[in-house]
Amino acid sequence: MAMKKSRIGVLTGGGDCAGLNPALKWVVKTAMDEPLEAGRAARYDVIGIHDGWKGLINADISSPDTQGGITPLNPAVVRTWDRYGGTMLGTSRLSPFDPENDCSATVMENIERLGLEAVIVIGGDGTLAAATRLARAGVNIVGIPKTIDKDLPETDYTLGFETALNVITEEVDRLRTTAGSHKRIFVVETMGRLAGWLALEGGESCGAYIILIPEHDFTMKRVNDLVMEGRRAGTRYEIIVVAEGAKIKGTSEVVKKAGMDSFGNKALGGIGEVVARKIARGTGLETRSITLSHLQRGGAPCAYDRRMGRYFGIAAVDLVVRKQYGDMVCFRNGRIDHCPLENIYGRLSRVDVATRYDTERYNGRRTILNAPGRPDAAGRRRP
Ligand code: F6P
């Protein structure tokens, strides 16, 4: 007797990043992998939902094409997707639970009408928070973590992060040559929202002289003193990496515009220029600022994001096969794993200043094995 097919929907929501298309490709390839069907006692087809949750508001089941918010996918369609950045399905920052326009009921109706056994949601904190609330309401959801901010708890990796680090490193390499020629200071503003991971690990990768993160408020006096110390030691130029969410002690985050998006996020941006102006004024040295902005989210995925997208995509379908709904795939202790979406709801992963940041030098840690909490040579935990 022919096995009945179940239908999986997949969507990408929130800010785009590299690694989404590899994940989409492997969701489709794994779900529709014929040799695996017998062992699973299940067959699937997959539809792509366009523009994040928006596609489930506009979904038109009579017309499964891009106009109706959905498109049928198959391995031939997604064959080359893993080479490309962005998301072939499109995305949006629309939350079905926006207090000013709650359309969660429509989303659930359309999931029902489309006959979706499960929805695989590839998103960051906002998109996965909405996914958690839908899971509570009984929708079969599996999450895949993505965001260049790497600010989701329960996972050591989120898709897009490594490609963004590569962009920071490459752009700073370019800045170094011109900074050196002119003996200038460059302040490089990265994204990352309220988490300093991107600035910290980007700054460590490119060898920045100073790294400023949201988890530790800084003073301009210390920044200027460090710059002058460098000059006295003979440096020709300095690279200072600052996270968009970093703050001067006693002030609040700098924003591009007032208000919040549908997920309740502020539009951060502008601290790089503020810091550059204050350094120029405080030290008399020529200082420029550059905001890397959406360059960090653009371009083809690096090898790591292609592999992690592949593994997360495969693992997400594994969870659907096990009917283990309400979970998110994750990467922990070097292994692909999974955790309840409830564990990440309303929580952020931020840099642990005590073990990861040097508050004197405003830079990455200078001791790893001898950091607090690590065992000493006798196996005793350091205070
Ligand atoms: O969450 C990802 C992110 O790139 C943040 O680092 C940044 O603050 C925000 O999105 C920018 O959002 P938008 O693309 O809406 O300008």
Side-chain angles (χ1 to χ4, degrees):
M1 200 179 68
M3 248 184 295
K4 194 176 148 284
K5 265 194 183 170
S6 303
R7 178 176 283 181
I8 300 173
V10 60
L11 66 84
T12 52
D16 73 338
C17 62
L20 298 173
N21 287 321
L24 289 170
K25 168 173 170 170
W26 283 94
V27 162
V28 175
K29 273 178 74 77
T30 312
M32 300 180 78
D33 189 346
E34 282 178 18
L36 288 180
E37 280 173 3
R40 287 172 175 164
R43 294 175 70 216
Y44 299 100
D45 59 23
V46 183
I47 60 165
I49 296 157
H50 286 260
D51 303 330
W53 298 116
K54 212 184 247 182
L56 280 174
I57 293 160
N58 302 333
D60 175 0
I61 55 167
S62 59
S63 129
D65 59 23
T66 54
Q67 301 308 311
I70 51 170
T71 304
L73 299 175
N74 62 52
V77 170
V78 299
R79 193 175 63 85
T80 61
W81 284 17
D82 50 349
R83 297 163 214 174
Y84 301 106
T87 162
M88 296 293 190
L89 291 182
T91 184
S92 67
R93 285 206 187 276
L94 183 133
S95 166
F97 295 95
D98 187 336
E100 282 170 23
N101 179 24
D102 191 315
C103 35
S104 51
T106 312
V107 165
M108 283 187 279
E109 265 161 41
N110 279 331
I111 289 173
E112 192 77 34
R113 283 171 57 224
L114 290 165
L116 300 182
E117 151 80 18
V119 186
I120 296 180
V121 178
I122 310 176
D125 57 346
T127 305
L128 293 177
T132 311
R133 293 177 69 177
L134 289 171
R136 283 178 196 159
V139 179
N140 294 336
I141 300 269
V142 167
I144 294 182
K146 69 87 217 173
T147 166
I148 65 165
D149 306 343
K150 210 179 70 166
D151 58 356
L152 289 171
E154 301 279 339
T155 185
D156 298 335
Y157 195 69
T158 57
L159 294 179
F161 182 70
E162 196 67 24
T163 303
L165 292 188
N166 286 339
V167 172
I168 295 169
T169 310
E170 282 162 22
E171 295 305 331
V172 169
D173 278 352
R174 283 195 181 89
L175 284 176
R176 282 181 185 284
T177 59
T178 170
S181 309
H182 292 266
K183 294 184 87 177
R184 281 174 176 157
I185 298 164
F186 266 91
V187 180
V188 181
E189 181 180 309
T190 66
M191 283 184 164
R193 283 225 165 95
L194 302 179
W197 296 114
L198 199 58
L200 179 62
E201 295 188 45
E204 288 174 338
S205 304
C206 73
Y209 180 57
I210 293 176
I211 304 171
L212 303 171
I213 59 172
E215 291 83 350
H216 183 76
D217 293 354
F218 60 95
T219 67
M220 281 312 304
K221 172 161 183 346
R222 185 66 189 141
V223 170
N224 290 340
D225 284 352
L226 285 166
V227 166
M228 295 313 292
E229 219 175 82
R231 288 293 161 118
R232 279 195 297 276
T235 53
R236 279 185 69 82
Y237 71 93
E238 283 78 24
I239 300 290
I240 299 178
V241 170
V242 56
E244 62 180 5
K247 306 191 292 297
I248 299 176
K249 208 173 189 159
T251 68
S252 6
E253 293 102 1
V254 180
V255 291
K256 280 188 288 210
K257 58 175 191 284
M260 311 256 187
D261 68 14
S262 162
F263 290 123
N265 297 307
K266 288 184 190 170
L268 299 175
I271 182 70
E273 185 51 30
V274 171
V275 170
R277 263 191 273 120
K278 287 185 185 289
I279 293 174
R281 209 175 308 133
T283 65
L285 296 168
E286 215 182 334
T287 310
R288 298 280 191 272
S289 79
I290 177 167
T291 305
L292 295 181
S293 188
H294 294 79
L295 285 175
Q296 295 157 102
R297 301 217 310 244
C302 67
Y304 191 69
D305 274 317
R306 293 185 201 199
R307 286 201 318 290
M308 291 305 282
R310 175 179 180 137
Y311 303 150
F312 280 170
I314 292 173
V317 175
D318 286 346
L319 287 176
V320 173
V321 172
R322 286 155 62 156
K323 297 191 187 298
Q324 191 147 3
Y325 300 124
D327 268 22
M328 175 186 90
V329 299
C330 60
F331 182 65
R332 287 196 282 215
N333 306 320
R335 287 178 49 195
I336 302 292
D337 206 340
H338 60 101
C339 67
L341 277 166
E342 287 292 348
N343 289 4
I344 67 156
Y345 186 80
R347 291 176 56 216
L348 274 191
S349 157
R350 303 182 78 203
V351 173
D352 176 28
V353 171
T355 54
R356 300 296 299 260
Y357 189 69
D358 182 335
T359 55
E360 283 301 305
R361 285 188 267 193
Y362 289 171
N363 211 304
R365 60 190 163 177
R366 294 297 167 92
T367 177
I368 295 174
L369 296 180
N370 295 335
R374 288 286 194 124
D376 63 16
R380 286 183 298 258
R381 292 224 162 263
R382 284 166 212 280

